[in-house]
Every structure is written in C-alpha cells, then in structure tokens.
Amino acid sequence: MKLNELLDYTGQILQVARFKDYCPNGLQVEGRSEVARLVTGVTASLSLLEAAREQGADLVMVHHGYFWRNEDARIVGIKQKRIKLLLESGMSLAAYHLPLDAHQELGNNAQLARQLGFVVDGWTGEQDLIAYGRTAVEMTGSMLRQHISRILDREAILLGPGEKPIRKVAWCTGSAQGYMEQAIALGVDAYISGEVSEQNLHLANEAGVVYIGAGHHATERYGIQALGAHLQNRFNLEHHYIEINNPV
C-alpha cells in the first residue's frame, strides 16, 4: 500500500479538514513510501516507537502525536530521541487527534460507548466532541463507576451523588473535564471523561450530577484500535495494536 494513498483515505474518512486542532493531523514524520505493516497506539512515546520497531512497522499511527501548539519547536532532548528513532528506522508517524475523538463510528467517543454499552442519542458541543445518550439499564452512580472500572480495567474516580439513579449520560474521552457544564446543560444524570480537575467536585455536588474520571489513556484506547482494524480490513494490511500502560 502506498503511504500517501493510505493517509489520503484516512484523512477523508476522518474528515480531518473540518477540524480546528492543537496539532497537525495526518503525516507528522515521513518514512518509507510503502506500508505493509501498521502499528497503532495511543501516544507516540519512545516506548511505543521501540516496540513498533521490534514489530517491523512501516507506519505508526497514534492519537497523540507531536508538534502541539505553543510547544518548543526545537528538535532537542526527548523530542530528538523520538524523531531520531523514526528517521533511522524508516518508520512513518501519523497522528489523528480531534478527528479521531469525534468520528461517529471509529472515534474514541463512539468506541467508548460500544465498550460501556451506552446507547448514543447524539453529538453536541464544540466540533461535536461531546456524545450523549443512555445507559443500557438504570443504575446508581456508584454502580456506573464500578461498571466503568471493570470494563476499562482501571479504578475510575466518582464525584457527586453516588447513589443517584443514572440513565441519561454524556461523555467525552481524554482531557475533557472542562466540558462538564455543557453536559450539565443537557440535563444528564452523569458525565464521563478521562481526567479530573478540582472544580469538577464542586460542579458535581452543586448540580447534583455525577462526574466520573475514567482515565485519559483508558478512555482513548479504542478509537485508534478501531481505525487500525478498519484499515487492515480495507487494504489487507498487517495491523498490530501495542498497549503501553498508562495509569493516568
């Protein structure tokens, strides 16, 4: 598979051009022009790149790549080590951030709903990054936390009324705790994201809405796996997802 053809297709299905993002989406470091073996992972850490090299990857595709807005542009230190490994190995790096969060089939929010058994009713917020819907059955906030912890294999944090009955939920994976007030305005019983900030406790208590912080990494594992599997099936590529454990 030609690298440029594969990335053109991926950019089209994820509708990359419509997003205003904090980083470049698509190809970030160019390697070999042909792709037979694709490795996916959440974040392009040195550990992931080393594991991908061991797998003989031609292309590494991630959710969290490089060149974030306002970061130091110099290729030094940790960034130098990562990019040096890519260039020396001939592997390409492609990253899809907000487009992968928002995609309504392959994206992180859609795939998290599938994992947790949520019924998706719609999408809202800036660039449709907030999903909302219903739990499969009514449960308390504490039961929802236990369910999420079991599915994601990580102890989720619950804030607010733990015994409140939960049916209507909203969620946005990763670092989206700042969208909680928008979720409250939807009239939901609970809002789920990855990380937790100090103000989430007060919003949960004062609004009577459960907040669950389920882990940035844990909530964003599934979109990149779904994208990799889709590309494998579409183009007959060899695909490997590599999990680099991260408790945050």
Side-chain angles (χ1 to χ4, degrees), residues 32 34-39 52-60 237-240:
R32 288 183 283 276
E34 300 277 344
V35 178
R37 185 170 297 170
L38 168 66
V39 162
R53 181 176 59 186
E54 288 296 314
Q55 289 280 355
D58 301 304
L59 171 62
V60 181
L237 298 171
E238 183 179 340
H239 167 235
H240 302 275

Side-chain angles (χ1 to χ4, degrees), residues 95-117:
Y96 298 94
H97 185 232
L98 295 184
L100 188 60
D101 286 321
H103 194 274
Q104 295 182 10
E105 178 186 352
L106 302 174
N108 286 321
N109 286 331
Q111 290 296 316
L112 182 63
R114 180 171 297 179
Q115 293 291 323
L116 298 178

